[in-house]
Amino acid sequence: MGEDPTRTHDKQLRGWLSYAFASEVFVIVSLTLFLPICLEQFARDNGYLDREDRKEPCNSVAASPGGRAEARCVVKLVGLWIDSASFSLYVNSISVALQALTVISMGGIADHPPHRKRLLLMFAALGALSATLFLLLPSSSPIWPCSALLGICANVGFGASVVAMNAYIPILARTSPEVVELREQALEPSNSPAPARAANDLDADSNAPLLESADHSTEPDDTSQDYSRALSAATSRISSLGIALGYAAGILLLILTLIPVTLLKGSTFSLRLAISASGLWWAVFSLPAAAWLPGSDTTAEAELDHDREWSVTKEIAKAWKRLFGMLRWREIRRLRNTFQYLAAWFLLSDGFTTITSTAVLFGKTSLNMPPSSLVVVGIITPLAGIIGSLAWPRLQRRLGCTNLKVLTTLVIMASFVPAYGCLGFIPLFSQGRVKFGGLTTPGELYALAMYFGSVYGAFQGYARAFYAELIPPGEEARWYGLFSITDKSSSFVGPLVVGLIADTTGNIRYAFFFLVGMIWLAVPVLRSVNVERGRKDAASYVYTSGR
């Protein structure tokens, strides 16, 4: 007797949510808050004021409120003097480049259920261990640049594991009870009604197109529309719930880490302790995912892999060959709307994430906010994110807006944050004629954190669920690999350009102009996506390797 399908689905969903609860903490606590300021502090502890002789340590003026404004802090690495804030941004860019190579290489492997789970756990272990090891590396150590290596490994581990995690979303949505029921109703009018399936058949069936193409079955219009709505709702619900749980975990750990950061007055040790705590949390709460997510117990897939000559090297080579094949113009035209959305996502995800990291560094280096205050900013942002992720779907139902319209609205609202920072160049604000405005006071950063968090939380839920409807069934990991290249842990262009702007101008505020332009550039691309057509093209898509 097979296991009850509903119980199987619920257990697998709990496993998936547990990993969201475990891994999102690294993003909220470390990646967007403590890791940038910790890396900047590592560089500052070993850097010098950018004056003629470059002999005075940066920390010699740390106690002076205006000291950091007199001369920026620079550190010498590989023969070059770089801004201490740019060090953090460059490390992030390098980690993203390596992460991109990793997620592309693993896409084909992760599309097989047994290997998907193994990859998720392997990269989770890499990321969690790298974050935890920050506790053992003081900034006074002669090997302090290894902090960059730990940061890179942690980010690669997170990004790669999330590719495997996201690949479960369409499968979990397809196997949710309400979607399965409507799928059976949609297939009933066919000449060969589908037989009842046992629970063990759900994993294999979840990789098949949910509604067969017109060549294979007749699609009842009403039932198909009900099915599509149920599938979209299930996808959005699962994605948003994962984000809300992850945010809740991040807020809880941020509150806990606020205690040592405050007591130790934002010392480098307290920052390392916070990053290490996120790694331990990540490791411990990944254990339920290891127990409940479907993996090697999927016997049909396991037997398939054992019957053929399977090797990691061959799969990596095939993944890169497939990537170049997917990017041929002929394939892009067949999935035009999917690629249009990816183009918009490339700009938006990079821009949104860079806004977060730039704001934190701006608060530390330009507004002279202590780490404890930045922790409060870090708590406000995901807390507002939970509110936004729950409030926007209700607002959408009340207004009757499409997902695309909601996404566009959120993007435009987010662009107001860097635009507000640009106002700081107006003499009225920059010369202190008024006490508030243009992001010149810490209080404004708190307010912007709440506003941006409410927008960003909703954006993440809608963006991930929206993409799930535009990718071919059975190739989730491969397509989420492309998606994750510019996910929140994978912003590449933004941090690199912001780092160059900070190095060139000596004023990170100029980066706000770049961020406004980056976000607005994506709006017309996003608006051009035809959702219904993109969903149909993805459902009927079959990759052809021939030229």
Side-chain angles (χ1 to χ4, degrees), residues 98-327:
L98 294 176
Q99 188 184 104
L101 296 175
T102 304
V103 299
I104 291 171
S105 300
M106 64 175 276
I109 302 173
D111 272 327
H112 296 287
H115 304 301
R116 179 185 299 142
K117 182 176 180 178
R118 294 186 194 116
L119 283 173
L120 185 150
L121 297 177
M122 180 183 72
F123 282 109
L126 171 66
L129 178 62
S130 299
T132 304
L133 287 177
F134 264 90
L135 189 61
L136 305 180
L137 182 64
S139 61
S140 58
S141 170
I143 60 169
W144 72 267
C146 287
S147 61
L149 179 62
L150 292 179
I152 290 170
C153 289
N155 197 13
V156 169
F158 172 79
S161 68
V162 166
V163 171
M165 171 189 162
N166 285 341
Y168 282 106
I169 296 177
I171 297 171
L172 290 170
R174 292 176 188 134
T175 57
S176 58
E178 68 275 17
V179 174
V180 171
E181 181 180 355
L182 285 171
R183 181 179 189 276
E184 295 299 332
Q185 293 176 14
L187 294 177
E188 274 180 8
S190 65
N191 295 328
S192 302
R197 289 184 295 276
N200 292 336
D201 296 329
L202 285 175
D203 289 329
D205 185 63
S206 64
N207 285 329
L210 289 172
L211 285 178
E212 305 293 339
S213 65
D215 295 335
H216 295 84
S217 68
T218 302
E219 297 184 12
D221 291 338
D222 293 341
T223 307
S224 297
Q225 291 176 6
D226 291 341
Y227 167 80
S228 295
R229 283 193 292 268
L231 180 61
S232 296
T235 305
S236 300
R237 173 176 54 83
I238 292 169
S239 179
S240 297
L241 185 56
I243 289 172
L245 279 175
Y247 276 6
I251 292 169
L252 177 59
L253 189 58
L254 276 176
I255 293 173
L256 294 176
T257 55
L258 180 60
I259 298 172
V261 169
T262 303
L263 294 176
L264 298 173
K265 301 184 184 303
S267 66
T268 308
F269 173 74
S270 68
L271 302 177
R272 290 162 38 217
L273 180 63
I275 297 172
S276 179
S278 73
L280 289 172
W281 181 293
W282 187 358
V284 170
F285 288 100
S286 293
L287 296 178
W292 295 334
L293 279 175
S296 56
D297 57 341
T298 311
T299 56
E301 290 285 349
E303 289 174 1
L304 177 62
D305 286 323
H306 286 304
D307 287 341
R308 63 179 184 176
E309 287 189 14
W310 188 92
S311 73
V312 172
T313 304
K314 289 181 179 179
E315 289 298 318
I316 292 175
K318 285 172 60 178
W320 281 94
K321 182 179 179 181
R322 175 64 184 273
L323 173 67
F324 291 123
M326 288 165 59
L327 297 179

Side-chain angles (χ1 to χ4, degrees), residues 455-486:
V455 173
Y456 191 29
F459 170 80
Q460 285 184 287
Y462 276 98
R464 187 167 62 176
F466 189 56
Y467 183 67
E469 299 184 53
L470 299 175
I471 58 178
E475 299 185 6
E476 289 82 8
R478 194 184 307 278
W479 286 91
Y480 268 114
L482 289 177
F483 185 79
S484 295
I485 288 175
T486 52

